[in-house]
Amino acid sequence: MRAMIDRKEMDETVIRMGDQAVALTEFRSTGFRMVAIGAGGAGKTNAALSVVEQLVDTGHWVGVIVDPEGELQPLLGTPVDSPAGLRSALIARSPSLLVIQADTPEAFMPYAEVVSEVVNRQREAVVLMIDEGQLFSNARKRKGGVGASSDVINDFVVRGRKRALDLVITTPRASSSLNRMVFNGSNLTLIGAHADPAGWSMLAPLFKGAEIGYRDLLALQTGEFIMTSPRGVSKVRLPLCKTLSKVARPAAP
């Protein structure tokens, strides 16, 4: 096991967020942790997939996607068949994109433990995408295994930098959703269209000095986000990622 993490891949990687470029060297000392917030149809899964695709395409990252609703498997391939299968694939770092179908915290935990084990040992870049993250991390609930899965995700947020583990998480709203530690630990946040007055108090500090109000969030269209990062606040529009473009592409005659 390597004693130190030298994340040179961060210095070599720029991800495109619509017409804007985000240099990952800004996250070299913290690790990359992105949260995408938005109602159904806002485009948050597309945004998350776009980031994962770009990281995997560099050849430095292996991507692990938690797909609780089974919507992405027809596009991304057959999910790994077991935690042992995930372990083998992560150690071999092949294939470079892995899908997990886990629709409950209890189903997620064995896979999360494997991710923790492997990244702790190998210290090679992995990006974990958790779609509908509120199913596995919650601000208020502890029953039904949510407490245990919230704890392990919080651990990823806190110690992921030391393991070269980056996180991309989607959720429908800010309030009563992800554990607060996940929000506080996010260093790139995408806020898409959604109606969540209770969550505005959590989000408003992100927009300090940017003259953005709650009505601006309501007016966002599909694929439009307010992006906050170490560089500040900006509005971005994200095109379809490669994975979802397969659905939009018309069939050959």
Side-chain angles (χ1 to χ4, degrees):
M1 182 178 72
R2 288 184 286 171
M4 297 292 290
I5 299 298
D6 185 13
R7 302 207 60 186
K8 294 180 180 178
E9 71 274 8
M10 289 286 196
D11 295 334
E12 301 170 2
T13 303
V14 174
I15 55 175
R16 301 295 310 184
M17 306 298 286
D19 60 357
Q20 298 192 37
V22 177
L24 290 201
T25 190
E26 299 184 37
F27 309 103
R28 198 180 200 278
S29 63
T30 63
F32 178 66
R33 299 182 297 272
M34 181 183 115
V35 171
I37 306 166
K44 59 186 183 293
T45 299
N46 173 70
L49 279 171
S50 175
V51 169
V52 172
E53 287 175 350
Q54 291 181 67
L55 295 181
V56 169
D57 284 349
T58 67
H60 295 300
W61 278 263
V62 169
V64 179
I65 297 177
V66 181
D67 178 24
E69 297 178 340
E71 294 179 336
L72 302 176
Q73 292 168 38
L75 304 172
L76 295 173
T78 304
V80 293
D81 58 2
S82 66
L86 176 63
R87 179 183 291 107
S88 297
L90 280 177
I91 291 173
R93 299 184 69 79
S94 180
S96 59
L97 192 60
L98 302 158
V99 184
I100 297 167
Q101 184 176 4
D103 57 0
T104 65
E106 292 92 339
F108 169 69
M109 280 300 296
Y111 293 102
E113 290 167 358
V114 165
V115 171
S116 181
E117 169 200 334
V118 174
V119 298
N120 193 52
R121 180 171 58 189
Q122 297 203 167
R123 309 296 173 99
E124 295 180 292
V126 171
V127 55
L128 174 64
M129 172 182 158
I130 306 176
D131 201 26
E132 303 296 341
Q134 74 283 353
L135 299 176
F136 312 105
S137 171
N138 198 277
R140 299 176 182 177
K141 297 178 182 177
R142 299 288 299 178
K143 295 181 179 179
V146 176
S149 64
S150 290
D151 289 344
V152 75
I153 293 172
N154 288 347
D155 181 67
F156 289 162
V157 170
V158 173
R159 297 202 297 153
R161 175 187 65 83
K162 299 178 180 180
R163 306 173 185 177
L165 175 64
D166 299 304
L167 296 174
V168 176
I169 301 176
T170 74
T171 190
R173 59 190 181 279
S175 65
S176 303
S177 186
L178 298 179
N179 189 284
R180 189 64 62 93
M181 186 176 289
V182 178
F183 275 115
N184 292 343
S186 171
N187 47 29
L188 190 147
T189 306
L190 294 177
I191 301 101
H194 69 298
D196 183 19
W200 176 246
S201 61
M202 292 177 60
L203 297 174
L206 299 175
F207 308 135
K208 187 177 180 180
E211 298 183 355
I212 292 174
Y214 179 61
R215 291 182 180 274
D216 295 305
L217 301 188
L218 295 177
L220 292 170
Q221 302 299 307
T222 297
E224 292 181 342
F225 294 89
I226 305 298
M227 180 175 74
T228 70
S229 73
R231 291 291 179 121
V233 180
S234 56
K235 185 176 179 179
V236 297
R237 182 172 182 84
L238 304 183
L240 278 180
C241 64
K242 292 189 300 183
T243 297
L244 296 181
S245 292
K246 297 174 185 177
V247 178
R249 188 181 301 133

